[in-house]
Amino acid sequence: MALTRISPLLATLGLSAALLSAPAVATDVLLDFSGNICGTGSDQACGNGSAIGQGYGDIAGLLDVSHRSFQAGTGATLEGALKYWSTGYSGLQDVAWGGSNPDSHVAEFVFAPGAGFRVTLNSMDFGDYLNRNDGSSATVLDLLTGETLWSSGAFDAGLTPLTFAPGVSSANGLVLRFGPDSYNTAIDNISLTVTAVPEPGAWALLAAGLGLIGALRRRREMV
């Protein structure tokens, strides 16, 4: 009889333990802007100044990546896509840049995770074209709320690339912007991780299991 009463609890405990021990599904993504990533199909060879395809970095069901350059202060889109360059930005190889003016153009990436996932921006590199030292800054925003999650402050890469590691994440998606000189400042090696978010029902089951443990413990203490 006692065994019959405890069996549902044991089953719940087993499921709860499985939820706690199961590894999160994670996919690492690195945008290093190498290979055939240009053209409308994101599958053509790039030359200096070629538009990077909007499909570059996309993973069906997991992550949608888009990019553009816009006029600082107005938000008016200048080009539908950022552009490729091979060398000359603080020693980086294969970079993305945008705009046509060194004073007021901002580059933007949007990283939108699929339903049930969250995206983390781990790190990225910045370089200056021919050591122009015109100055820029970078920010990361929550895609839905617009909240600033991270800011680099003003920087000049100079002869050596600068690496930043924001380490911020959101299930809403992230917006990465840099400028106002995204013409002479370029980005490379954007490291992202897409992680599965547990379903609410899974957490509810875990809470139920923990509640049953507590109830059984209290009942034993009363006996």
Side-chain angles (χ1 to χ4, degrees):
M1 186 68 174
L3 181 60
T4 302
R5 290 177 180 175
I6 295 176
S7 294
L9 174 60
L10 293 177
T12 304
L13 289 177
L15 289 172
S16 300
L19 288 171
L20 287 172
S21 61
V25 177
T27 301
D28 293 324
V29 180
L30 178 63
L31 306 182
D32 61 5
F33 305 103
S34 63
N36 296 338
I37 64 170
C38 291
T40 56
S42 307
D43 56 0
Q44 298 177 17
C46 298
N48 287 339
S50 297
I52 298 169
Q54 290 290 357
Y56 176 57
D58 290 354
I59 304 176
L62 293 181
L63 182 67
D64 180 79
V65 180
S66 60
H67 45 87
R68 65 170 183 142
S69 64
F70 64 89
Q71 185 76 34
T74 68
T77 299
L78 299 173
E79 293 97 10
L82 299 182
K83 299 177 181 179
Y84 166 89
W85 204 265
S86 58
T87 61
Y89 283 87
S90 303
L92 293 171
Q93 300 288 323
D94 305 322
V95 301
W97 59 280
S100 56
N101 183 303
D103 299 319
S104 60
H105 291 184
V106 176
E108 177 184 88
F109 285 88
V110 174
F111 308 112
F117 293 89
R118 67 189 300 111
V119 60
T120 301
L121 176 56
N122 302 311
S123 62
M124 63 278 191
D125 298 332
F126 289 100
D128 284 345
Y129 186 65
L130 301 181
N131 193 27
R132 297 296 177 90
N133 291 318
D134 287 332
S136 281
S137 64
T139 58
V140 180
L141 313 174
D142 184 281
L143 177 59
L144 181 62
T145 67
E147 176 188 0
T148 298
L149 303 178
W150 175 86
S151 179
S152 68
F155 65 82
D156 279 312
L159 296 174
T160 305
L162 292 177
T163 299
F164 293 103
V168 293
S169 63
S170 175
N172 299 327
L174 299 173
V175 179
L176 167 61
R177 293 174 179 163
F178 65 94
D181 184 12
S182 60
Y183 180 75
N184 287 316
T185 300
I187 194 169
D188 196 9
N189 301 318
I190 303 174
S191 171
L192 306 159
T193 300
V194 182
T195 309
V197 178
E199 294 292 335
W203 289 113
L205 180 59
L206 176 58
L210 295 176
L212 282 172
I213 294 173
L216 180 60
R217 181 175 298 171
R218 288 192 297 271
R219 183 175 180 179
R220 286 179 175 174
E221 290 174 353
M222 293 174 61
V223 175

Short mmCIF file of all heavy atoms in Angstrom, two decimals, residues 130-194:
data_model
loop_
_atom_site.label_atom_id
_atom_site.label_comp_id
_atom_site.label_asym_id
_atom_site.label_seq_id
_atom_site.Cartn_x
_atom_site.Cartn_y
_atom_site.Cartn_z
N LEU A 130 43.18 51.71 -41.83
CA LEU A 130 44.46 52.42 -41.99
C LEU A 130 44.75 53.35 -40.81
O LEU A 130 45.27 54.46 -40.98
CB LEU A 130 44.46 53.20 -43.30
CG LEU A 130 44.26 52.36 -44.58
CD1 LEU A 130 44.30 53.25 -45.80
CD2 LEU A 130 45.29 51.25 -44.68
N ASN A 131 44.39 52.88 -39.62
CA ASN A 131 44.67 53.62 -38.39
C ASN A 131 44.12 55.05 -38.44
O ASN A 131 44.80 56.01 -38.06
CB ASN A 131 46.18 53.64 -38.10
CG ASN A 131 46.51 54.11 -36.70
OD1 ASN A 131 45.70 53.97 -35.79
ND2 ASN A 131 47.68 54.66 -36.53
N ARG A 132 42.87 55.19 -38.88
CA ARG A 132 42.28 56.53 -38.99
C ARG A 132 42.01 57.17 -37.63
O ARG A 132 41.99 58.39 -37.51
CB ARG A 132 40.97 56.45 -39.79
CG ARG A 132 41.14 56.00 -41.23
CD ARG A 132 41.96 57.00 -42.04
NE ARG A 132 42.19 56.55 -43.39
CZ ARG A 132 41.38 56.81 -44.42
NH1 ARG A 132 40.30 57.54 -44.23
NH2 ARG A 132 41.67 56.35 -45.62
N ASN A 133 41.72 56.35 -36.61
CA ASN A 133 41.46 56.87 -35.27
C ASN A 133 40.35 57.91 -35.25
O ASN A 133 40.45 58.95 -34.58
CB ASN A 133 42.74 57.47 -34.66
CG ASN A 133 43.77 56.41 -34.33
OD1 ASN A 133 43.46 55.35 -33.83
ND2 ASN A 133 45.03 56.70 -34.64
N ASP A 134 39.28 57.65 -35.99
CA ASP A 134 38.17 58.60 -36.01
C ASP A 134 37.24 58.43 -34.81
O ASP A 134 36.48 59.33 -34.49
CB ASP A 134 37.37 58.44 -37.30
CG ASP A 134 38.13 59.00 -38.50
OD1 ASP A 134 38.91 59.92 -38.29
OD2 ASP A 134 37.91 58.51 -39.61
N GLY A 135 37.28 57.31 -34.16
CA GLY A 135 36.50 57.10 -32.95
C GLY A 135 35.10 56.57 -33.20
O GLY A 135 34.41 57.01 -34.11
N SER A 136 34.70 55.62 -32.38
CA SER A 136 33.36 55.06 -32.42
C SER A 136 33.01 54.53 -31.04
O SER A 136 33.82 54.59 -30.11
CB SER A 136 33.26 53.93 -33.45
OG SER A 136 33.13 54.43 -34.77
N SER A 137 31.82 53.97 -30.91
CA SER A 137 31.41 53.27 -29.72
C SER A 137 30.41 52.20 -30.14
O SER A 137 29.88 52.24 -31.25
CB SER A 137 30.78 54.21 -28.68
OG SER A 137 29.59 54.77 -29.19
N ALA A 138 30.16 51.25 -29.26
CA ALA A 138 29.24 50.16 -29.56
C ALA A 138 28.25 50.00 -28.41
O ALA A 138 28.60 50.20 -27.24
CB ALA A 138 30.00 48.86 -29.79
N THR A 139 27.04 49.63 -28.74
CA THR A 139 26.01 49.36 -27.74
C THR A 139 25.25 48.09 -28.12
O THR A 139 25.16 47.74 -29.30
CB THR A 139 25.00 50.51 -27.60
OG1 THR A 139 24.39 50.76 -28.87
CG2 THR A 139 25.68 51.77 -27.10
N VAL A 140 24.71 47.42 -27.13
CA VAL A 140 23.85 46.27 -27.34
C VAL A 140 22.52 46.55 -26.65
O VAL A 140 22.49 46.90 -25.46
CB VAL A 140 24.46 44.97 -26.78
CG1 VAL A 140 23.53 43.78 -27.04
CG2 VAL A 140 25.83 44.71 -27.41
N LEU A 141 21.42 46.40 -27.39
CA LEU A 141 20.08 46.68 -26.88
C LEU A 141 19.23 45.42 -26.91
O LEU A 141 19.46 44.51 -27.71
CB LEU A 141 19.40 47.75 -27.74
CG LEU A 141 20.19 49.01 -28.09
CD1 LEU A 141 19.40 49.87 -29.06
CD2 LEU A 141 20.54 49.80 -26.84
N ASP A 142 18.23 45.39 -26.03
CA ASP A 142 17.21 44.35 -26.11
C ASP A 142 16.30 44.69 -27.29
O ASP A 142 15.81 45.81 -27.41
CB ASP A 142 16.40 44.29 -24.82
CG ASP A 142 15.38 43.17 -24.81
OD1 ASP A 142 14.30 43.33 -25.43
OD2 ASP A 142 15.66 42.13 -24.19
N LEU A 143 16.07 43.72 -28.16
CA LEU A 143 15.32 43.98 -29.40
C LEU A 143 13.88 44.41 -29.11
O LEU A 143 13.33 45.26 -29.82
CB LEU A 143 15.32 42.72 -30.27
CG LEU A 143 14.52 42.78 -31.57
CD1 LEU A 143 15.01 43.90 -32.48
CD2 LEU A 143 14.59 41.44 -32.30
N LEU A 144 13.25 43.87 -28.09
CA LEU A 144 11.85 44.16 -27.81
C LEU A 144 11.67 45.43 -26.98
O LEU A 144 10.85 46.29 -27.30
CB LEU A 144 11.19 42.99 -27.08
CG LEU A 144 9.71 43.14 -26.73
CD1 LEU A 144 8.87 43.31 -28.00
CD2 LEU A 144 9.22 41.94 -25.93
N THR A 145 12.45 45.57 -25.93
CA THR A 145 12.26 46.68 -25.00
C THR A 145 13.09 47.90 -25.33
O THR A 145 12.80 49.01 -24.88
CB THR A 145 12.59 46.25 -23.56
OG1 THR A 145 14.00 45.98 -23.45
CG2 THR A 145 11.80 45.00 -23.19
N GLY A 146 14.18 47.72 -26.10
CA GLY A 146 15.08 48.83 -26.39
C GLY A 146 16.02 49.16 -25.26
O GLY A 146 16.81 50.12 -25.35
N GLU A 147 15.98 48.37 -24.19
CA GLU A 147 16.86 48.61 -23.05
C GLU A 147 18.32 48.41 -23.44
O GLU A 147 18.67 47.47 -24.16
CB GLU A 147 16.52 47.65 -21.91
CG GLU A 147 17.43 47.76 -20.71
CD GLU A 147 17.18 46.67 -19.67
OE1 GLU A 147 16.29 45.83 -19.90
OE2 GLU A 147 17.88 46.67 -18.64
N THR A 148 19.19 49.33 -23.00
CA THR A 148 20.63 49.18 -23.24
C THR A 148 21.18 48.14 -22.28
O THR A 148 21.15 48.32 -21.05
CB THR A 148 21.36 50.51 -23.05
OG1 THR A 148 20.87 51.48 -23.99
CG2 THR A 148 22.86 50.34 -23.26
N LEU A 149 21.69 47.05 -22.82
CA LEU A 149 22.23 45.96 -22.01
C LEU A 149 23.74 46.07 -21.80
O LEU A 149 24.28 45.52 -20.84
CB LEU A 149 21.91 44.61 -22.67
CG LEU A 149 20.43 44.33 -22.94
CD1 LEU A 149 20.27 42.99 -23.64
CD2 LEU A 149 19.62 44.37 -21.65
N TRP A 150 24.40 46.78 -22.72
CA TRP A 150 25.86 46.91 -22.64
C TRP A 150 26.31 48.07 -23.50
O TRP A 150 25.69 48.36 -24.54
CB TRP A 150 26.54 45.61 -23.14
CG TRP A 150 28.03 45.68 -23.21
CD1 TRP A 150 28.92 45.44 -22.20
CD2 TRP A 150 28.82 46.02 -24.36
NE1 TRP A 150 30.20 45.60 -22.66
CE2 TRP A 150 30.16 45.95 -23.98
CE3 TRP A 150 28.50 46.36 -25.67
CZ2 TRP A 150 31.20 46.21 -24.87
CZ3 TRP A 150 29.51 46.64 -26.56
CH2 TRP A 150 30.85 46.56 -26.15
N SER A 151 27.38 48.75 -23.09
CA SER A 151 27.95 49.83 -23.88
C SER A 151 29.46 49.81 -23.73
O SER A 151 30.00 49.59 -22.63
CB SER A 151 27.40 51.18 -23.41
OG SER A 151 27.97 52.24 -24.14
N SER A 152 30.16 50.03 -24.83
CA SER A 152 31.62 49.98 -24.82
C SER A 152 32.25 51.27 -24.36
O SER A 152 33.39 51.29 -23.89
CB SER A 152 32.13 49.67 -26.23
OG SER A 152 31.86 50.77 -27.10
N GLY A 153 31.54 52.39 -24.52
CA GLY A 153 32.18 53.69 -24.38
C GLY A 153 32.98 53.98 -25.64
O GLY A 153 33.12 53.13 -26.52
N ALA A 154 33.53 55.18 -25.74
CA ALA A 154 34.29 55.57 -26.93
C ALA A 154 35.57 54.75 -27.05
O ALA A 154 36.22 54.43 -26.05
CB ALA A 154 34.62 57.05 -26.87
N PHE A 155 35.92 54.39 -28.29
CA PHE A 155 37.16 53.63 -28.50
C PHE A 155 37.77 53.97 -29.85
O PHE A 155 37.10 54.41 -30.78
CB PHE A 155 36.91 52.12 -28.40
CG PHE A 155 36.01 51.55 -29.47
CD1 PHE A 155 36.50 51.23 -30.73
CD2 PHE A 155 34.67 51.29 -29.20
CE1 PHE A 155 35.68 50.69 -31.71
CE2 PHE A 155 33.84 50.74 -30.16
CZ PHE A 155 34.34 50.44 -31.42
N ASP A 156 39.08 53.74 -29.95
CA ASP A 156 39.85 53.78 -31.19
C ASP A 156 40.69 52.52 -31.24
O ASP A 156 41.47 52.26 -30.32
CB ASP A 156 40.76 55.01 -31.25
CG ASP A 156 40.04 56.28 -31.66
OD1 ASP A 156 39.31 56.22 -32.66
OD2 ASP A 156 40.19 57.30 -30.98
N ALA A 157 40.55 51.75 -32.28
CA ALA A 157 41.30 50.49 -32.37
C ALA A 157 42.75 50.74 -32.73
O ALA A 157 43.66 50.08 -32.21
CB ALA A 157 40.65 49.57 -33.39
N GLY A 158 43.03 51.69 -33.63
CA GLY A 158 44.41 51.95 -34.02
C GLY A 158 45.02 50.79 -34.78
O GLY A 158 44.38 50.16 -35.63
N LEU A 159 46.23 50.46 -34.44
CA LEU A 159 46.97 49.40 -35.15
C LEU A 159 46.58 48.00 -34.70
O LEU A 159 46.86 47.03 -35.41
CB LEU A 159 48.47 49.60 -34.97
CG LEU A 159 49.07 50.88 -35.56
CD1 LEU A 159 50.55 51.00 -35.18
CD2 LEU A 159 48.91 50.89 -37.07
N THR A 160 45.97 47.89 -33.52
CA THR A 160 45.65 46.58 -32.95
C THR A 160 44.16 46.45 -32.75
O THR A 160 43.52 47.36 -32.20
CB THR A 160 46.36 46.39 -31.59
OG1 THR A 160 47.76 46.60 -31.75
CG2 THR A 160 46.11 44.99 -31.05
N PRO A 161 43.55 45.35 -33.18
CA PRO A 161 42.10 45.17 -33.00
C PRO A 161 41.72 45.21 -31.53
O PRO A 161 42.50 44.82 -30.64
CB PRO A 161 41.84 43.79 -33.60
CG PRO A 161 43.00 43.50 -34.48
CD PRO A 161 44.17 44.19 -33.87
N LEU A 162 40.53 45.68 -31.26
CA LEU A 162 39.97 45.67 -29.92
C LEU A 162 38.92 44.57 -29.82
O LEU A 162 38.09 44.42 -30.71
CB LEU A 162 39.33 47.01 -29.59
CG LEU A 162 40.25 48.22 -29.44
CD1 LEU A 162 39.43 49.48 -29.19
CD2 LEU A 162 41.24 48.00 -28.30
N THR A 163 38.96 43.81 -28.74
CA THR A 163 37.97 42.76 -28.48
C THR A 163 37.12 43.16 -27.29
O THR A 163 37.65 43.53 -26.24
CB THR A 163 38.65 41.41 -28.20
OG1 THR A 163 39.43 41.02 -29.34
CG2 THR A 163 37.62 40.33 -27.91
N PHE A 164 35.81 43.07 -27.47
CA PHE A 164 34.88 43.32 -26.38
C PHE A 164 34.08 42.04 -26.13
O PHE A 164 33.78 41.30 -27.06
CB PHE A 164 33.92 44.46 -26.71
CG PHE A 164 34.59 45.80 -26.83
CD1 PHE A 164 34.85 46.36 -28.07
CD2 PHE A 164 34.97 46.51 -25.69
CE1 PHE A 164 35.47 47.60 -28.18
CE2 PHE A 164 35.58 47.75 -25.79
CZ PHE A 164 35.83 48.30 -27.04
N ALA A 165 33.74 41.82 -24.86
CA ALA A 165 32.98 40.62 -24.48
C ALA A 165 31.76 41.02 -23.67
O ALA A 165 31.77 40.95 -22.43
CB ALA A 165 33.87 39.66 -23.69
N PRO A 166 30.67 41.45 -24.33
CA PRO A 166 29.48 41.89 -23.59
C PRO A 166 28.86 40.80 -22.71
O PRO A 166 28.43 41.05 -21.60
CB PRO A 166 28.52 42.30 -24.71
CG PRO A 166 29.39 42.61 -25.88
CD PRO A 166 30.53 41.66 -25.78
N GLY A 167 28.77 39.56 -23.25
CA GLY A 167 28.19 38.46 -22.48
C GLY A 167 26.75 38.69 -22.08
O GLY A 167 26.32 38.23 -21.02
N VAL A 168 25.97 39.37 -22.92
CA VAL A 168 24.56 39.66 -22.61
C VAL A 168 23.66 38.78 -23.47
O VAL A 168 24.03 38.39 -24.58
CB VAL A 168 24.22 41.14 -22.83
CG1 VAL A 168 24.96 42.01 -21.82
CG2 VAL A 168 24.56 41.59 -24.25
N SER A 169 22.48 38.48 -22.95
CA SER A 169 21.57 37.59 -23.67
C SER A 169 20.13 38.03 -23.50
O SER A 169 19.79 38.77 -22.56
CB SER A 169 21.74 36.15 -23.17
OG SER A 169 21.39 36.05 -21.80
N SER A 170 19.27 37.56 -24.41
CA SER A 170 17.84 37.87 -24.34
C SER A 170 17.07 36.89 -25.20
O SER A 170 17.53 36.52 -26.29
CB SER A 170 17.58 39.31 -24.82
OG SER A 170 16.18 39.57 -24.88
N ALA A 171 15.90 36.50 -24.72
CA ALA A 171 14.98 35.70 -25.53
C ALA A 171 14.22 36.58 -26.51
O ALA A 171 13.61 36.09 -27.45
CB ALA A 171 14.00 34.95 -24.63
N ASN A 172 14.25 37.90 -26.30
CA ASN A 172 13.61 38.84 -27.21
C ASN A 172 14.44 39.11 -28.46
O ASN A 172 13.91 39.55 -29.48
CB ASN A 172 13.37 40.19 -26.51
CG ASN A 172 12.46 40.08 -25.32
OD1 ASN A 172 11.54 39.26 -25.30
ND2 ASN A 172 12.71 40.88 -24.30
N GLY A 173 15.75 38.88 -28.36
CA GLY A 173 16.66 39.23 -29.43
C GLY A 173 17.55 40.39 -29.01
O GLY A 173 17.27 41.10 -28.03
N LEU A 174 18.63 40.58 -29.75
CA LEU A 174 19.61 41.61 -29.44
C LEU A 174 19.86 42.49 -30.66
O LEU A 174 19.80 42.03 -31.80
CB LEU A 174 20.94 40.99 -29.01
CG LEU A 174 20.91 40.12 -27.75
CD1 LEU A 174 22.27 39.43 -27.58
CD2 LEU A 174 20.57 40.94 -26.52
N VAL A 175 20.15 43.77 -30.38
CA VAL A 175 20.55 44.71 -31.42
C VAL A 175 21.95 45.20 -31.09
O VAL A 175 22.18 45.72 -29.99
CB VAL A 175 19.59 45.92 -31.49
CG1 VAL A 175 20.03 46.90 -32.57
CG2 VAL A 175 18.16 45.45 -31.75
N LEU A 176 22.87 45.04 -32.01
CA LEU A 176 24.24 45.52 -31.85
C LEU A 176 24.46 46.68 -32.81
O LEU A 176 24.26 46.53 -34.02
CB LEU A 176 25.23 44.39 -32.16
CG LEU A 176 26.70 44.78 -32.33
CD1 LEU A 176 27.26 45.43 -31.08
CD2 LEU A 176 27.53 43.57 -32.75
N ARG A 177 24.86 47.83 -32.27
CA ARG A 177 25.13 49.01 -33.10
C ARG A 177 26.53 49.54 -32.82
O ARG A 177 26.99 49.51 -31.67
CB ARG A 177 24.11 50.11 -32.80
CG ARG A 177 22.69 49.78 -33.21
CD ARG A 177 21.71 50.84 -32.75
NE ARG A 177 20.35 50.52 -33.17
CZ ARG A 177 19.27 51.08 -32.65
NH1 ARG A 177 19.37 52.01 -31.70
NH2 ARG A 177 18.07 50.72 -33.07
N PHE A 178 27.18 50.04 -33.85
CA PHE A 178 28.45 50.73 -33.65
C PHE A 178 28.57 51.88 -34.63
O PHE A 178 28.12 51.82 -35.76
CB PHE A 178 29.64 49.77 -33.74
CG PHE A 178 29.86 49.15 -35.10
CD1 PHE A 178 30.74 49.72 -36.01
CD2 PHE A 178 29.22 47.97 -35.45
CE1 PHE A 178 30.96 49.14 -37.25
CE2 PHE A 178 29.44 47.37 -36.68
CZ PHE A 178 30.31 47.97 -37.59
N GLY A 179 29.18 52.94 -34.17
CA GLY A 179 29.34 54.16 -34.95
C GLY A 179 29.67 55.30 -34.02
O GLY A 179 30.00 55.08 -32.85
N PRO A 180 29.65 56.57 -34.45
CA PRO A 180 29.09 57.03 -35.73
C PRO A 180 30.06 56.98 -36.90
O PRO A 180 29.83 57.65 -37.92
CB PRO A 180 28.72 58.48 -35.41
CG PRO A 180 29.79 58.90 -34.44
CD PRO A 180 30.07 57.69 -33.61
N ASP A 181 31.13 56.19 -36.76
CA ASP A 181 32.03 56.03 -37.90
C ASP A 181 32.12 54.56 -38.27
O ASP A 181 33.16 53.93 -38.11
CB ASP A 181 33.42 56.59 -37.58
CG ASP A 181 34.35 56.53 -38.78
OD1 ASP A 181 33.86 56.28 -39.90
OD2 ASP A 181 35.56 56.72 -38.60
N SER A 182 31.01 54.00 -38.74
CA SER A 182 31.02 52.60 -39.17
C SER A 182 31.61 52.47 -40.58
O SER A 182 31.63 51.37 -41.13
CB SER A 182 29.61 52.01 -39.16
OG SER A 182 28.74 52.73 -40.02
N TYR A 183 32.09 53.60 -41.11
CA TYR A 183 32.76 53.60 -42.42
C TYR A 183 34.24 53.24 -42.23
O TYR A 183 34.77 52.39 -42.95
CB TYR A 183 32.61 54.99 -43.04
CG TYR A 183 33.24 55.17 -44.40
CD1 TYR A 183 32.65 54.62 -45.53
CD2 TYR A 183 34.41 55.92 -44.55
CE1 TYR A 183 33.22 54.79 -46.78
CE2 TYR A 183 34.97 56.10 -45.81
CZ TYR A 183 34.38 55.53 -46.91
OH TYR A 183 34.95 55.72 -48.15
N ASN A 184 34.90 53.88 -41.27
CA ASN A 184 36.30 53.58 -40.99
C ASN A 184 36.49 52.63 -39.82
O ASN A 184 37.61 52.22 -39.53
CB ASN A 184 37.07 54.87 -40.71
CG ASN A 184 37.29 55.70 -41.95
OD1 ASN A 184 37.64 55.17 -43.00
ND2 ASN A 184 37.06 57.00 -41.86
N THR A 185 35.41 52.28 -39.14
CA THR A 185 35.45 51.27 -38.09
C THR A 185 34.68 50.05 -38.58
O THR A 185 33.55 50.17 -39.06
CB THR A 185 34.79 51.78 -36.79
OG1 THR A 185 35.50 52.94 -36.34
CG2 THR A 185 34.83 50.72 -35.70
N ALA A 186 35.30 48.88 -38.48
CA ALA A 186 34.67 47.65 -38.97
C ALA A 186 34.62 46.62 -37.86
O ALA A 186 35.35 46.71 -36.85
CB ALA A 186 35.44 47.10 -40.16
N ILE A 187 33.77 45.62 -38.04
CA ILE A 187 33.57 44.58 -37.04
C ILE A 187 33.93 43.21 -37.61
O ILE A 187 33.83 42.98 -38.82
CB ILE A 187 32.10 44.59 -36.55
CG1 ILE A 187 31.93 43.76 -35.28
CG2 ILE A 187 31.14 44.11 -37.65
CD1 ILE A 187 30.59 43.95 -34.60
N ASP A 188 34.34 42.31 -36.73
CA ASP A 188 34.72 40.96 -37.15
C ASP A 188 34.52 40.01 -35.97
O ASP A 188 34.42 40.43 -34.81
CB ASP A 188 36.18 40.95 -37.59
CG ASP A 188 36.56 39.71 -38.40
OD1 ASP A 188 35.65 38.94 -38.76
OD2 ASP A 188 37.76 39.52 -38.67
N ASN A 189 34.47 38.72 -36.30
CA ASN A 189 34.45 37.65 -35.29
C ASN A 189 33.36 37.86 -34.23
O ASN A 189 33.63 37.84 -33.02
CB ASN A 189 35.82 37.53 -34.62
CG ASN A 189 36.92 37.24 -35.62
OD1 ASN A 189 36.75 36.43 -36.53
ND2 ASN A 189 38.06 37.91 -35.48
N ILE A 190 32.12 38.00 -34.69
CA ILE A 190 31.00 38.12 -33.76
C ILE A 190 30.64 36.73 -33.26
O ILE A 190 30.23 35.87 -34.04
CB ILE A 190 29.78 38.78 -34.44
CG1 ILE A 190 30.15 40.15 -35.01
CG2 ILE A 190 28.64 38.90 -33.45
CD1 ILE A 190 29.03 40.79 -35.81
N SER A 191 30.80 36.51 -31.97
CA SER A 191 30.55 35.19 -31.36
C SER A 191 29.21 35.22 -30.65
O SER A 191 28.97 36.05 -29.77
CB SER A 191 31.66 34.85 -30.37
OG SER A 191 31.34 33.69 -29.62
N LEU A 192 28.33 34.28 -31.04
CA LEU A 192 26.99 34.18 -30.47
C LEU A 192 26.74 32.76 -29.99
O LEU A 192 27.35 31.80 -30.47
CB LEU A 192 25.93 34.53 -31.52
CG LEU A 192 26.06 35.88 -32.24
CD1 LEU A 192 25.28 35.84 -33.54
CD2 LEU A 192 25.54 36.99 -31.34
N THR A 193 25.83 32.63 -29.04
CA THR A 193 25.35 31.31 -28.62
C THR A 193 23.83 31.35 -28.55
O THR A 193 23.26 32.27 -27.94
CB THR A 193 25.91 30.90 -27.25
OG1 THR A 193 27.34 30.87 -27.31
CG2 THR A 193 25.41 29.52 -26.85
N VAL A 194 23.18 30.39 -29.18
CA VAL A 194 21.72 30.27 -29.12
C VAL A 194 21.39 29.08 -28.22
O VAL A 194 21.87 27.97 -28.44
CB VAL A 194 21.12 30.06 -30.53
CG1 VAL A 194 19.61 29.99 -30.45
CG2 VAL A 194 21.57 31.17 -31.47
#
